[in-house]
Amino acid sequence: MTAALLPSDPTRLGAYTVTGRLGEGGQGVVYLGADASGRQVAIKLLRAQLSGDTKARSRFIRELSAAERVPGFCTAPVIDADVAGDQPYIVSEFVPGPALQDVTCPLPEPELLRLAIGTATALAAVHQAGIVHRDFKPANVIMGPGGARVIDFGIARVLDSDVTMTSQVVGTPAYMAPEQLAAGPIGPAADLFAWGLTMVFAATGRRAFAGDSVPSVMNAILHGVPDLSGLPPWLGGLVAACLEKDPRRRPTAVQALLHLLGAPPGTPQGDVQTLLTQGASAATRHGAPPFQAAPGRVPSRGVPPLAAIGVVLGVLANSLTASGVNLALPTIQRDLGARVAGLAWVANAYLLGLALSVVAGGWLADRFGRKKLFVIGTAACAVATLLAVLSPSIGVLITLRGVAGVAAGLALPAGLGLVREAFSGVRLIVVTGVWGAVAGSTTLAGVFAAWPVLEQVTWRFVFVLPAVLGVLAAVIVLAAGRESRGDANASLSPPGMIFLSAALFVLTFAIARVQYSAGVVTGVLLAGAALLVGIFWIVESQIRRGRPPVLLASPSLPAAIGLTAIGFAGLNGLYLLLAIYLQVVGGESPLGAAVATLPMTLAYVVGAAIAAAVGGRVGPRPPLVIGLLLTMAAAFGLSLAGTHFSYVSVVPWLPAAGLGLGLVIPTAAAAVLGHAPVRLGGAAAGLHQGGQLLGGAVGTSVFYALALPRDLTPFWNTGPTLVTGMHTQLVVIGAIMLVTAAFAVFVRRPEA
């Protein structure tokens, strides 16, 4: 119920007109307001003491950024906020209607079922975004005209920390979990305990743990038995499970939702996004029968397995064209009469095109459609690759390689965005394991696919197989995929996206130049890239009023992107250094070097399979740490190789290197996509692909430049110098892996 404003109340906050009071508590005052278009909003103005507390404000900004990621399933999502001014406030969607605590209870069973489904759906959505509500109670459930809506999610953690327990009314501790009252670790299970208490209130009109004072209520929650009399049978067992003292024995929000939708016990959760859609629909289905069993399995969106095959084929096509062209450079030089500098641009044009578009590709995919961007980008890359067959000069070939890179930058994040939209949980880990196996083994696949063509026909046909695979991938996704969009503006602003894309392009250009020149120009480029990143951060902070970009607010997602970059730097660096060593010191042909590294590639595929099999059970940290340590050991072991070639001294370390990187790269990819909300999947995939691009560039350019002597004229007589440089770079790779293993602790398990 709206009350009149007091003389001390503001009449305007930022761009919003304040029209009345909705409520007040120890945390702040909630006002009814309106934006410039007249849309009503709820504005929570924080208490003055919070605005002067630097640590509290910093915590508040982090929690607010997480809350913005929550999709709008049975919630009143955050619309805007200002945390930079003297009066911090949060703007959320206004839901007309009374709070559950003001509604006459018990509710009729049909309405009780819809309330249970709606609130369980809301908590599942909150937990999928990686946050915990921490203040779920009847006062934070609004009985709106379209069904129950949960409010105040993601903010309570910061606000409650500044309010003493004794200053709160009985209603707050009455809906706290035992671990919350005991000041223990608080996770999603605490919300399920509060949900169970709220369902008891809705079903009976009383509290599950009685008491006439705050201490007595707290003691009952910590040590007493809940009173569940009066609960209908379909709800009583679930509520009893939610009110277990041990949080490990409580169901998750997804499991509770499956039960309420009528799924048989043990039903796999399937696609969480589809489950949330089902829950939101059931919660707003007026007049529906109270007990309507859902199918035993939650249906997937579109035809995810077939669409995923198309995405993997697209990744394979884009990777094969890069590895095949690198192998063909000597014959291209001979056929087209190109200079060495021109050959460098044949390889780098694709990378620079990719760097220019990959961040924008993810953002555009969320805005205009992931399926559409994947099909357009993959088809355009295939056409440009096929036209390269007819290149009459090195300049035309370079141009077509750049166009193919730009097109691939549109396609790759859109494809991973489709994967994020179609899969979740264990299924997402399995799919990213397949993706990691393909992405990591295409260097060798490119060698085997291209070498017979180079030997028997001409370098031009190296482009045919990637072009055919690209067309096939586009057709499969066009036929089997289901279009999905995200919320582009919630991830990056348009100016921020432009500056970040420019920074990635300049940084990639600087890294690529290191292979040929590490002079002043490269230093200027690196400084320019750092400046562009700084401008990006300032622009995003200004547009978001002091808050970091949503995707970078939690440490897990940027940490996983960093691990992706380091993993690909190690992968490309080890492959490159081994290939040069095997050819220069070991006297192997390019094909012989590829065969010699086969144990590493096969072990990589095994590592990716293991990551897919165990990641859902143990979380990302064990595979990441073990994988990084295995790669470290392999790099240190390979650094012992000397000028007198012996394959026996090299081969024992190859499986360790492959297995380690096979654990790291797919696990990091699953962590990036798993921590990204579905609605931001394309943008997150773009950042992930950007990290992969930078890591790969470092592996193929920086390690190459630092390992080889500057004067390459007597290249095949530089064995001792090469071994010295290679030894140093392998030690550097090992040290990087060791240090990075310590940072893997920042990557936690996605909630859903």
Side-chain angles (χ1 to χ4, degrees):
M1 185 174 181
T2 307
L5 294 174
L6 300 178
S8 58
D9 288 331
T11 58
R12 191 169 188 84
L13 289 169
Y16 303 91
T17 302
V18 180
T19 59
R21 275 177 163 243
L22 294 174
E24 181 178 7
Q27 302 168 348
V29 181
V30 182
Y31 296 102
L32 177 65
D35 61 14
S37 66
R39 178 183 60 166
Q40 288 188 315
V41 295
I43 309 172
K44 172 171 279 189
L45 180 65
L46 306 190
R47 292 292 185 188
Q49 62 264 33
L50 178 63
S51 63
D53 187 333
T54 303
K55 291 179 65 177
R57 185 189 289 263
S58 176
R59 292 195 303 270
F60 169 62
I61 292 173
R62 291 196 301 269
E63 292 296 322
L64 175 61
S65 298
E68 289 181 309
R69 306 192 311 172
V70 177
F73 290 102
C74 302
T75 62
V78 173
I79 297 172
D80 193 8
D82 185 355
V83 297
D86 295 332
Q87 294 182 301
Y89 61 85
I90 310 147
V91 182
S92 61
E93 178 186 337
F94 173 67
V95 182
L100 176 60
Q101 69 175 7
D102 299 323
V103 173
T104 301
C105 293
L107 298 176
E109 281 200 17
E111 189 168 349
L112 179 63
L113 176 63
R114 286 193 289 272
L115 171 69
I117 291 175
T119 49
T121 299
L123 287 180
V126 170
H127 296 167
Q128 186 192 25
I131 64 175
V132 182
H133 192 295
R134 299 176 64 103
D135 197 25
F136 187 87
K137 56 189 177 183
N140 282 335
V141 178
I142 303 298
M143 307 298 285
R149 305 286 287 276
V150 175
I151 63 172
D152 238 9
F153 51 81
I155 309 301
R157 178 179 182 180
V158 175
L159 300 179
D160 285 347
S161 63
D162 298 287
V163 182
T164 62
M165 181 64 70
T166 55
S167 71
Q168 297 177 5
V169 298
V170 175
T172 295
Y175 295 95
M176 287 183 178
E179 63 269 24
Q180 199 168 1
L181 295 174
I186 300 173
D191 287 344
L192 270 296
F193 192 94
W195 180 86
L197 296 174
T198 301
M199 291 305 103
V200 172
F201 174 81
T204 66
R206 55 172 169 73
R207 295 196 300 268
F209 295 96
D212 54 6
S213 66
V214 172
S216 63
V217 171
M218 293 172 60
N219 183 68
I221 291 175
L222 288 169
H223 307 293
V225 177
D227 180 2
L228 304 183
S229 59
L231 266 65
W234 57 269
L235 184 61
L238 177 60
V239 169
C242 290
L243 297 183
E244 288 280 356
K245 306 297 185 187
D246 186 350
R248 294 171 297 182
R249 300 182 64 181
R250 299 172 202 153
T252 66
V254 168
Q255 291 169 338
L257 181 54
L258 280 169
H259 172 86
L260 293 168
L261 290 174
T267 298
Q269 71 175 35
D271 174 25
V272 175
Q273 183 78 358
T274 298
L275 184 61
L276 295 178
T277 302
Q278 286 185 329
S281 175
T284 58
R285 201 182 301 152
H286 297 287
F291 313 110
Q292 207 169 44
R297 286 185 176 272
V298 180
S300 300
R301 294 185 160 211
V303 192
L306 189 55
I309 291 173
V311 171
V312 170
L313 282 177
V315 173
L316 180 61
N318 286 301
S319 300
L320 282 179
T321 183
S323 57
V325 167
N326 290 340
L327 187 63
L329 289 180
T331 54
I332 291 174
Q333 180 184 23
R334 183 179 64 247
D335 192 12
L336 297 181
R339 297 181 178 179
V340 174
L343 286 179
W345 277 105
V346 171
N348 290 335
Y350 180 85
L351 292 179
L352 293 175
L354 195 64
L356 186 64
S357 63
V358 72
V359 173
W363 188 86
L364 291 170
D366 281 343
R367 186 176 185 87
F368 296 108
R370 296 158 185 163
K371 173 182 172 180
K372 183 185 300 180
L373 262 290
F374 179 83
V375 172
I376 292 174
T378 303
C381 183
V383 171
T385 301
L386 193 59
L387 289 176
V389 175
L390 307 176
S391 298
S393 65
I394 194 69
V396 173
L397 181 58
I398 290 171
T399 301
L400 290 171
R401 296 301 298 145
V403 171
V406 171
L410 298 177
L412 292 174
L416 281 179
L418 282 174
V419 168
R420 177 63 184 100
E421 193 269 345
F423 299 98
S424 59
V426 175
R427 296 172 73 212
L428 178 63
I429 295 171
V430 171
V431 173
T432 51
V434 175
W435 168 87
V438 172
S441 60
T442 47
T443 298
L444 185 64
V447 172
F448 283 116
W451 186 257
V453 174
L454 294 173
E455 286 288 291
Q456 303 298 327
V457 191
T458 173
W459 62 267
R460 297 180 185 273
F461 285 95
V462 167
F463 299 105
V464 174
L465 178 59
V468 171
L469 289 176
V471 171
L472 182 60
V475 170
I476 290 175
V477 173
L478 181 63
R482 177 176 174 178
E483 186 60 276
S484 68
R485 289 179 173 82
D487 188 355
N489 290 331
S491 55
L492 297 172
S493 67
M497 181 268 296
I498 292 172
F499 280 111
L500 188 59
S501 296
L504 182 61
F505 176 82
V506 173
L507 184 56
T508 304
F509 187 42
I511 293 173
R513 278 183 54 86
V514 171
Q515 186 172 349
Y516 312 101
S517 173
V520 176
V521 175
T522 300
V524 171
L525 289 171
L526 292 173
L531 178 62
L532 287 168
V533 171
I535 295 174
F536 155 74
W537 196 262
I538 293 171
V539 167
E540 286 292 314
S541 298
Q542 288 295 319
I543 291 176
R544 301 181 185 280
R545 301 179 183 178
R547 292 166 284 153
V550 173
L551 284 172
L552 302 180
S554 169
S556 287
L557 196 143
I561 293 173
L563 284 167
T564 298
I566 291 169
F568 270 93
L571 181 69
N572 287 17
L574 287 174
Y575 262 126
L576 179 70
L577 294 174
L578 279 171
I580 295 174
Y581 176 78
L582 290 169
Q583 292 179 67
V584 175
V585 179
E588 298 283 351
S589 66
L591 183 60
V595 173
T597 56
L598 189 58
M600 179 175 169
T601 303
L602 295 177
Y604 180 96
V605 175
V606 172
I610 294 174
V614 306
R617 293 194 294 269
V618 303
R621 291 173 185 168
L624 289 173
V625 172
I626 293 172
L628 289 166
L629 293 179
L630 279 173
T631 309
M632 173 206 72
F636 287 157
L638 289 170
S639 70
L640 302 177
T643 54
H644 300 290
F645 176 73
S646 171
Y647 186 63
V648 174
S649 65
V650 172
V651 72
W653 303 107
L654 299 183
L659 186 64
L661 291 168
L663 290 172
V664 170
I665 291 176
T667 302
V672 172
L673 297 181
H675 281 288
V678 173
R679 64 193 179 103
L680 307 181
L687 295 177
H688 170 265
Q689 291 288 332
Q692 175 182 327
L693 171 68
L694 286 179
V698 168
T700 55
S701 293
V702 176
F703 292 143
Y704 176 92
L706 297 178
L708 294 181
R710 286 292 175 188
D711 182 11
L712 295 182
T713 303
F715 184 81
W716 299 103
N717 297 319
T718 57
T721 307
L722 168 66
V723 169
T724 300
M726 187 183 76
H727 173 273
T728 302
Q729 296 315 305
L730 287 170
V731 170
V732 169
I733 291 174
I736 290 174
M737 297 298 165
L738 177 61
V739 173
T740 307
F743 290 93
V745 298
F746 291 103
V747 183
R748 57 177 175 78
R749 183 198 300 264
E751 298 294 346

